Amino acid sequence: MKADDLASEIGEARPLVDELCRRNDELGTDENELVTESIEQLQTALEELRVAEEELRTQNAELIVTRDALEEERARYREMFELAPDAYLVTDPEGVIRAANEAAARLLGIQDRFLIGKPLANYVSDEERKSFRAKLNSILTSDRVIEIDARMQLRTGEHLDSAIRLAPVRNSKGELTGLRWLVRNVTERKQAEDEIKSWNIELERRVAERTAELEAAKAEAEAANRAKDDFLATLSHELRTPLNAILGWTHILATHLDNRDTAAQAIEVIERNAATQARLINEILEVSRIITGKLTLNLLPMEIGPIIEAAIEGARPAIDSKAIQLEVSLCTDDCQILGDATRLQQVVANLLSNAVKFTPEGGKISVELTRAGERAQLTVSDTGQGIDAEFLPFIFDRFRQAESASTRRHGGLGLGLAIVRHIVEMHGGTVQAASAGKGQGASFVVSLPVTTEKYLATVIHEQENAKHSAFADEPYHSLKGLRILVVDDEQDAREMLSVLLTQAGAEVVTAASCAETLALLAGEVEARFGARPDVLIADIAMPGGDGFDLIRGVRGMEANRGSRIPAIALTAYAGEEDHARALSEGYQMHIAKPVRLSVLAEAVARLVRGA
């Protein structure tokens, strides 16, 4: 009951009370008491009504304050709702919009009054609408705030990425009455994230590429270092081998001048090995000029045919010595080029030398010159051992050898083809190699421009005179009565060592390979010597099986005999690693070529005494 209504009732009751008092005066005593009691009851009721009126007035005042506070709060909420920087919407449980602020209208590009009554899902992109509704259904059984991402589709057709916070609204009975949506435009953030992701992917790609490049460069550098080490080992071997024969036969010549046959043989061997050394040194000098850029050309107009014929004549003795069939076909068309005759003859000579080296006796070599448009094309092919497919891409590289250094069947430094390529390219030409594989032969094709405007001047000639001095007679230990087995694949080296050791008093048997040596040790050598050898002297670099294979085989044969033949590794591989390996494999001494007879004799004597 309101306070005003209570006051009205009290006012209406007062005349009645006054009337009851007047009548009470007119009544008798008994009746008067009764009326008095009624009046008191009414007065009590009136007092209670006044108290209730005061309480109602107080409550009414409080309600007015509460109402004003609620109105103020509602106004503040409305202001916040409208002025919020992010889109704020209120929907029913099905997602139909009931209220939307100005930020929501701006975000979706539609005035807020046109948003009311529309499902919010209508403004989600087509491809995400189904998943959006599934997420909306999941909140109907949840009381927590959930966060989802959605791609909104504007009326203009544009799209924007949004981050949504979605909260359920429930009444006192726990019934879902609506949903509150806070939608934030995160398109720029998404774009930035996508850009960062793209940058990271690109960075990872570049890092991977750079890492691969570095790994490839590292592998290439390691391969180059290995190739250089192999080349240096081969160089050492190839230079020491002929020098060993030269020094040895020089000593023989100095001590047997009265023996014309021995002197003639010594001079022949010395001349042959000196020529080999000269060729090797020339190749090294050529490569040095190439590396330092000092190799120049004297370019003149010339026919290439006569150059090829001159190179063939120079190679003919080597070709004839192996009974190789040579076929030559030179075109008669105009093949005039601008070139350096000496260098071009060197190219042809190197190709022919390479073909002869790798072609077996009775094989075939073909030389063909043709005109192909504005280029002269020279093809040198053979029926030799061919080129392995894995090595073919590196055939023209410096410091590359198809065979390992210690098991090569053919001598040389392997620089000839590198020189060929460089000279050909300096003439503006190209050179290519082809082979069907091992045992299938090989062909080399040189293509040179018939005419060229390229001009290279200034010829630089560098010659170095190598001075070699023969060793004078030196005293050496007597090897009288010793039986020595000498193993070397080079005939000159075997004969030289045999002569030297025989002069020192030793009895010598020679072998040219690992297999031959093991066969001799299996029985025949004892038949020759009458006993096992006292010392084994073996080369390391031999085809088929090197000196390490040999010593392992020898030590294996001795395992059941209880005795060991003292062994010396006499090799052109003179590095510290070579020394250590020779000893670890089973040799008792490692001596580098070339060697003086006195040094070798002393080593043999010391080894026999130690044995």
Side-chain angles (χ1 to χ4, degrees), residues 228-381:
K228 185 178 292 185
D229 291 341
D230 290 343
F231 169 76
L232 291 175
T234 301
L235 174 62
S236 174
H237 176 270
E238 292 298 313
L239 290 177
R240 288 172 181 270
T241 297
L243 184 58
N244 186 58
I246 291 171
L247 292 176
W249 281 98
T250 299
H251 183 83
I252 294 171
L253 181 61
T255 56
H256 291 78
L257 289 175
D258 55 340
N259 188 327
R260 300 186 64 180
D261 292 338
T262 302
Q265 183 182 5
I267 292 172
E268 181 185 352
V269 173
I270 292 171
E271 183 179 8
R272 181 168 61 248
N273 282 275
T276 299
Q277 266 210 334
R279 177 178 56 80
L280 295 174
I281 293 172
N282 284 337
E283 285 187 355
I284 296 170
L285 292 175
E286 292 287 76
V287 171
S288 176
R289 293 187 184 100
I290 289 171
I291 294 174
T292 57
K294 294 182 179 180
L295 184 66
T296 57
L297 302 179
N298 182 21
L299 299 176
L300 296 172
M302 64 187 67
E303 288 286 339
I304 193 172
I307 295 173
I308 297 173
E309 292 173 346
I312 291 173
E313 289 304 312
R316 194 170 293 278
I319 295 172
D320 293 342
S321 68
K322 297 180 71 172
I324 294 174
Q325 179 184 355
L326 178 64
E327 290 187 356
V328 180
S329 175
L330 304 180
C331 72
T332 57
D333 295 339
D334 179 21
C335 286
Q336 189 178 54
I337 66 169
L338 189 63
D340 186 316
T342 302
R343 294 301 183 187
L344 290 176
Q345 185 171 336
Q346 183 181 2
V347 166
V348 182
N350 283 2
L351 293 177
L352 286 171
S353 174
N354 189 73
V356 171
K357 181 189 298 184
F358 294 103
T359 301
E361 293 189 8
K364 178 181 176 181
I365 295 177
S366 299
V367 179
E368 182 182 15
L369 176 65
T370 58
R371 175 75 180 266
E374 295 302 316
R375 303 185 78 83
Q377 186 167 291
L378 168 65
T379 303
V380 178
S381 56

Side-chain angles (χ1 to χ4, degrees), residues 169 363 454 499:
V169 180
K454 188 176 182 180
V499 172

Side-chain angles (χ1 to χ4, degrees), residues 322 324 350-361 363-365 381-387 391 395 400-403 408-417 438-442 444:
K322 297 180 71 172
I324 294 174
N350 283 2
L351 293 177
L352 286 171
S353 174
N354 189 73
V356 171
K357 181 189 298 184
F358 294 103
T359 301
E361 293 189 8
K364 178 181 176 181
I365 295 177
S381 56
D382 61 65
T383 58
Q385 73 179 46
I387 306 169
F391 184 71
I395 192 70
R400 292 277 189 165
Q401 294 279 356
E403 297 175 313
R408 293 183 307 132
R409 288 179 168 81
H410 306 282
L413 300 178
L415 296 175
L417 293 180
K438 288 186 176 181
Q440 302 297 314
F444 292 84

Side-chain angles (χ1 to χ4, degrees), residues 99-111:
N101 65 355
E102 291 185 8
R106 289 194 304 270
L107 181 71
L108 300 176
I110 301 175
Q111 294 182 15

